[in-house]
């Protein structure tokens, strides 16, 4: 069955009234979703949704380990235990200093791909 | 259904599926790129584990006229390994982001494969003969005692079982600070470009220790960063022309003859947005995840989160065609943002004659849009449909209201089953569709 016009192509410029009606249809779902998100996360910045994501994208792969910090902390806290990571090992927060054990071990894929099996 | 009506509509049938059946998917097995070579005889896949698998189409069997040749494993190799950049504390994934084939010039095949930081040129060659009859060596390689050699013979080549070898011929490294998202071979077949989030470099295929920076959008102050490069491609015919897309939904066409550094575009393609429609999500969903020129070179196609757009290179102010892939997701943007799906990067592709475009969606659905008939179809890549020569049943998603029989409601869609990568044979109606860890091959029903 041929797809109805609304979900298919729009090759011609629709009449102004029709366009307004379509926009009214389209705007509310997105705005409603935005309201939902802001209700859940009131601290969500005024910046458009892209920017935080951009910085996160550029930072992909960053795994911080500073041997200087690590050894200083070890020396300072000779008798005390180093604070350990919480459940999320990728999140480095507060007093925790990444330790070599926290860095996920990277293994190369020595196994043949299952697509070739 | 589109298949039942007009005589020219394609009837898609399941042909093959590659990969493991189990639901527990190892990360390394996640398919990250799919690409046919220029003749369509070879089909390459790359995965998150840094491996490349190449399939070759069987020669057509005259007695089996009801189907085209099957694709069988031809070669598989480890292209990239995981690395750790200690200086920058940066983990470098071995995931293959893109594979691009070179056109075949001699008996060997060549392809470029890239991860986030390093591009490699691989040579895939066949060996079907080996020399036998050495005078000083036994057949197993051990050296003979020269005093036992009493006659001389000429070694000859004898047939052996076909061996396909892949060897890295060039390694193009250390040219990208940010993550490589695209590679594209120029129509001169001598140069290629590689693009990361902020820069595009031009390479010569023979030269690995030097590349030219042709686009640089890094701001002097990184706090001012508003836009990144998301994809780039050379024009199929004009060796001086390339395009790159951005996270803000724009495409810039650049002409390398204009200047050495193509920071100023020759053309800027952007669809004007109604400011009253703007929302928190607008920029994210306008980000272009893929850009592909038509084979003719007259058009280009872009994919953003909800739609596919066709642009005429002669018209910058709006696309000539827009196809909605899954508009019903617009009312789900909040949860799609929370589960990160809104950042999924879908690719798109043209068929050989530029009359149909295809792209993936969720729930292992994929969509095709016929530019001539204006009809579209939704199909599913699933092992349940795997009877060869049975025409695939079109799928329909029910956005709201009463769900008809055989329709699927938006809330039942599985957002973990994404089809991000699809490829269309350059000449035939054969398509390769990648689910998370399986590769499906579909063909049109031959009479």
């Amino acid at each position: 069955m041929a797809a109805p016009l609304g979900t298919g192509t729009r090759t011609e410029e629709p009449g102004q009234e029709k366009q307004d009606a379509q926009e009214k249809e389209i705007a509310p779902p997105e705005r409603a979703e935005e309201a939902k998100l802001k209700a859940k996360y009131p601290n969500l910045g005024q910046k458009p949704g892209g920017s935080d994501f951009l910085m996160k994208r550029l930072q992909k792969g960053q795994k911080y380990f500073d041997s200087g910090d690590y050894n200083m902390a070890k020396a300072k806290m000779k008798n005390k235990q180093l604070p350990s990571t919480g459940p999320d090992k990728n999140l480095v927060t507060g007093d925790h200093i990444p330790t070599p054990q926290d860095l996920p071990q990277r293994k190369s894929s020595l196994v043949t791909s299952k697509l070739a099996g | 259904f589109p298949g039942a009506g007009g005589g020219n509509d394609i009837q898609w049938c399941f042909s093959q599926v590659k990969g493991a059946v189990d639901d527990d998917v190892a990360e390394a097995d996640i398919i990250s790129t799919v690409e046919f070579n220029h003749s369509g005889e070879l089909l390459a896949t790359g995965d998150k584990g840094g491996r490349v698998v190449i399939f070759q189409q069987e020669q057509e069997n005259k007695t089996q006229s009801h189907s085209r040749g099957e694709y069988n494993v031809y070669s598989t190799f480890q292209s990239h390994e995981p690395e750790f950049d200690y200086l920058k504390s940066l983990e470098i994934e071995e995931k293959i982001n893109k594979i691009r084939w070179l056109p075949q010039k001699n008996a060997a095949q060549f392809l470029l494969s890239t991860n986030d930081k390093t591009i490699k040129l691989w040579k895939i060659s066949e060996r079907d003969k080996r020399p036998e009859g050495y005078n000083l060596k036994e057949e197993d390689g051990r050296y003979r005692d020269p005093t036992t050699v009493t006659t001389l013979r000429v070694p000859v080549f004898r047939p052996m079982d076909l061996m396909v070898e892949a060897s890295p011929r060039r390694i193009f490294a250390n040219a990208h600070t940010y993550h490589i998202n695209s590679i594209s071979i120029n129509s001169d077949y001598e140069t290629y470009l590689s693009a990361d989030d902020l820069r595009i470099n031009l390479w010569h295929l023979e030269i690995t220790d030097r590349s030219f920076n042709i686009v640089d959008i890094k701001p002097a102050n990184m706090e001012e960063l508003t836009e990144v490069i998301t994809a780039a491609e050379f024009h199929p015919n004009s060796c001086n022309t390339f395009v790159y897309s951005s996270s803000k939904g724009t495409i810039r066409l650049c002409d390398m003859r204009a200047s050495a550094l193509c920071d100023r575009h020759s053309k800027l393609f952007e669809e004007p947005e109604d400011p009253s429609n703007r929302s928190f999500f607008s920029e994210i969903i306008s980000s272009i995840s893929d850009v592909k020129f038509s084979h003719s070179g007259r058009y280009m196609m872009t994919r953003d989160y909800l739609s596919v757009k066709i642009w005429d290179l002669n018209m910058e102010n709006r696309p000539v065609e827009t196809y909605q892939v899954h508009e019903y997701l617009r009312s789900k943007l909040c949860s799609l943002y929370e589960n990160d799906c809104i950042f999924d990067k879908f690719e798109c592709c043209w068929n050989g004659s530029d009359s149909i475009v295809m792209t993936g969606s969720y729930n292992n659905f994929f969509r095709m849009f016929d530019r001539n008939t204006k009809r579209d179809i939704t199909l599913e890549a699933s092992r349940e449909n795997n009877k060869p020569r049975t025409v695939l049943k079109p799928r329909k998603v029910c956005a709201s209201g009463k769900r008809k029989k055989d329709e699927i409601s938006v809330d039942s869609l599985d957002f973990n089953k994404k089809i991000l990568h699809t490829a269309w044979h350059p000449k035939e109606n054969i398509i390769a569709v990648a689910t998370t860890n399986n590769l499906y091959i579909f063909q049109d029903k031959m009479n």
Side-chain angles (χ1 to χ4, degrees):
Chain A
M1 157 174 359
L5 255 186
T7 57
T9 69
R10 281 184 229 137
T11 48
E12 298 152 18
E13 200 94 31
Q16 196 54 36
E17 280 177 6
K18 193 173 176 190
Q19 188 168 23
D20 283 348
Q22 279 193 328
E23 279 172 6
K24 285 204 175 70
E25 261 174 51
I26 290 168
E30 219 172 295
R31 284 291 174 80
E33 290 297 298
E34 181 176 22
K36 241 194 265 180
L37 193 68
K38 293 225 157 122
K40 276 195 184 183
Y41 308 102
N43 295 326
L44 207 56
Q46 287 311 302
K47 296 184 277 187
S51 338
D52 290 335
F53 158 60
L54 287 190
M55 291 315 292
K56 199 169 100 170
R57 178 185 178 139
L58 294 182
Q59 300 246 311
K60 180 189 124 183
Q62 208 79 44
K63 290 270 189 309
Y64 293 104
F65 171 71
D66 188 313
S67 61
D69 280 349
Y70 176 64
N71 287 309
M72 295 255 309
K74 254 177 44 174
K76 232 195 290 183
M77 301 162 102
K78 266 191 300 224
N79 299 320
K80 293 187 255 175
Q81 267 212 323
L82 282 174
S84 58
T85 50
D88 185 356
K89 282 200 171 159
N90 286 326
L91 208 57
V92 176
T93 55
D95 290 325
H96 172 67
I97 292 158
T99 63
Q101 299 90 288
D102 292 337
L103 294 178
Q105 293 306 309
R106 296 309 311 275
K107 295 191 298 246
S108 57
S109 321
L110 299 172
V111 184
T112 309
S113 163
K114 291 184 184 144
L115 292 185
Chain B
F1 301 136
N8 289 330
D9 282 348
I10 304 171
Q11 297 183 292
W12 290 104
C13 303
F14 169 85
S15 175
Q16 298 170 270
V17 61
K18 309 279 184 191
V21 186
D22 53 68
D23 283 333
D24 199 14
V25 182
E27 254 201 61
D29 292 324
I30 296 173
I31 299 172
S32 50
T33 185
V34 182
E35 188 83 355
F36 279 101
N37 75 336
H38 292 254
S39 66
E41 186 206 354
L42 299 178
L43 175 60
T45 60
D47 66 21
K48 227 175 166 203
R51 301 163 301 190
V52 170
V53 182
I54 301 174
F55 302 93
Q56 182 189 42
Q57 192 179 28
E58 269 175 359
Q59 293 301 320
E60 261 182 55
N61 192 333
K62 299 284 192 254
T63 61
Q64 283 191 315
S65 57
H66 52 252
S67 70
R68 296 182 191 81
E70 280 201 341
Y71 283 84
N72 301 316
V73 179
Y74 179 66
S75 172
T76 178
F77 55 93
Q78 186 77 37
S79 171
H80 288 71
E81 303 267 357
E83 289 171 63
F84 197 91
D85 182 335
Y86 292 96
L87 190 64
K88 297 181 188 165
S89 279
L90 194 67
E91 191 170 47
I92 301 166
E93 265 194 301
E94 66 275 37
K95 172 167 75 85
I96 309 296
N97 293 332
K98 286 282 167 11
I99 288 172
R100 290 287 181 264
W101 289 94
L102 266 73
Q104 192 174 11
K105 282 194 291 193
N106 52 38
Q109 300 277 358
F110 289 86
L111 61 79
L112 284 177
S113 68
T114 187
N115 69 348
D116 282 340
K117 296 287 180 181
T118 304
I119 306 129
K120 296 187 183 181
L121 176 70
W122 287 89
K123 176 181 180 181
I124 296 109
S125 47
E126 292 183 1
R127 192 196 291 261
D128 60 358
K129 304 185 259 297
R130 65 156 177 254
E132 287 177 19
Y134 284 108
N135 292 290
L136 297 178
K137 273 199 284 191
E138 304 286 0
E139 293 309 327
D140 62 9
R142 283 177 305 146
Y143 280 96
R144 290 170 73 185
D145 178 355
T147 57
T148 64
V149 177
T150 52
T151 59
L152 278 182
R153 56 187 175 169
V154 178
V156 292
F157 275 96
R158 295 218 186 278
M160 62 179 254
D161 286 341
L162 179 68
M163 214 165 71
V164 182
E165 301 166 320
S167 58
R169 305 303 286 177
R170 305 268 187 280
I171 313 249
F172 303 93
N174 301 320
H176 286 278
T177 306
Y178 301 97
H179 299 104
I180 298 173
N181 51 58
S182 311
I183 47 175
S184 177
I185 299 171
N186 203 346
S187 51
D188 65 10
Y189 301 144
E190 286 185 346
T191 58
Y192 74 94
L193 63 75
S194 56
D196 67 32
D197 293 316
L198 298 178
R199 299 191 177 100
I200 302 179
N201 294 330
L202 180 72
W203 302 84
H204 191 285
L205 284 164
E206 300 289 325
I207 299 168
T208 58
D209 62 357
R210 197 181 345 165
S211 79
F212 291 98
N213 176 241
I214 53 177
V215 172
D216 188 338
I217 65 166
K218 184 177 181 200
N221 180 359
M222 281 299 270
E223 306 274 308
E224 290 162 26
L225 179 73
T226 55
E227 199 172 10
V228 295
I229 297 168
T230 52
E233 192 174 65
F234 264 119
H235 190 276
N237 307 318
S238 301
C239 58
N240 48 276
T241 305
F242 65 93
V243 292
Y244 68 93
S245 58
S246 85
S247 53
K248 278 187 155 174
T250 64
I251 309 100
R252 286 172 176 80
L253 184 142
C254 300
D255 186 332
M256 295 195 292
R257 296 169 300 187
S259 67
L261 189 60
C262 300
D263 275 358
R264 291 179 56 202
H265 53 263
S266 299
K267 295 195 186 194
L268 174 66
F269 297 83
E270 188 173 13
E271 184 166 26
E273 191 200 14
D274 182 349
S276 66
N277 276 345
R278 201 156 172 80
S279 78
F280 174 82
F281 304 109
S282 299
E283 193 174 303
I284 304 176
I285 64 173
S286 73
S287 177
I288 292 171
S289 49
D290 195 14
V291 65
K292 292 265 172 46
F293 277 105
S294 64
H295 294 89
S296 64
R298 171 142 179 225
Y299 298 98
M300 66 179 174
M301 163 167 56
T302 57
R303 175 70 154 99
D304 51 70
Y305 190 61
L306 298 178
S307 69
V308 161
K309 295 179 179 171
I310 312 282
W311 304 78
D312 183 324
L313 293 192
N314 298 314
M315 185 157 68
E316 297 168 62
N317 62 349
R318 63 178 177 85
V320 288
E321 294 156 39
T322 300
Y323 301 99
Q324 302 302 333
V325 181
H326 36 217
E327 180 66 16
Y328 47 77
L329 294 184
R330 203 179 285 269
S331 54
K332 300 286 170 198
L333 292 177
C334 179
S335 34
L336 292 168
Y337 179 88
E338 289 180 287
N339 63 18
D340 271 359
C341 283
I342 205 174
F343 301 109
D344 285 335
K345 297 184 180 60
F346 292 96
E347 293 174 6
C348 53
C349 62
W350 298 84
N351 72 341
S353 58
D354 298 336
S355 61
I356 308 178
V357 295
M358 169 167 67
T359 190
S361 178
Y362 294 105
N363 211 68
N364 282 347
F365 287 173
F366 56 102
R367 304 262 286 134
M368 291 184 193
F369 302 93
D370 189 319
R371 300 175 62 213
N372 297 326
T373 65
K374 302 304 180 197
R375 294 221 282 250
D376 61 86
I377 190 168
T378 305
L379 297 172
E380 183 179 359
S382 148
R383 284 178 186 267
E384 285 166 21
N385 305 331
N386 59 1
K387 277 163 67 179
R389 293 193 300 287
T390 306
V391 178
L392 292 181
K393 191 172 138 190
R395 299 285 175 219
K396 186 123 172 45
V397 177
C398 167
S400 59
K402 269 190 110 149
R403 186 178 71 89
K404 298 199 189 92
K405 176 176 141 38
D406 285 351
E407 283 186 355
I408 296 159
S409 80
V410 183
D411 295 310
S412 312
L413 295 175
D414 187 340
F415 291 97
N416 290 318
K417 294 189 173 165
K418 322 170 200 250
I419 291 179
L420 304 174
H421 312 286
T422 61
W424 203 307
H425 190 290
K427 301 180 172 78
E428 312 271 2
N429 282 333
I430 303 173
I431 55 176
V433 174
T435 58
T436 306
N437 64 329
N438 284 179
L439 183 72
Y440 286 78
I441 298 172
F442 301 102
Q443 296 186 2
D444 74 357
K445 188 179 183 123
M446 289 172 83
N447 298 314

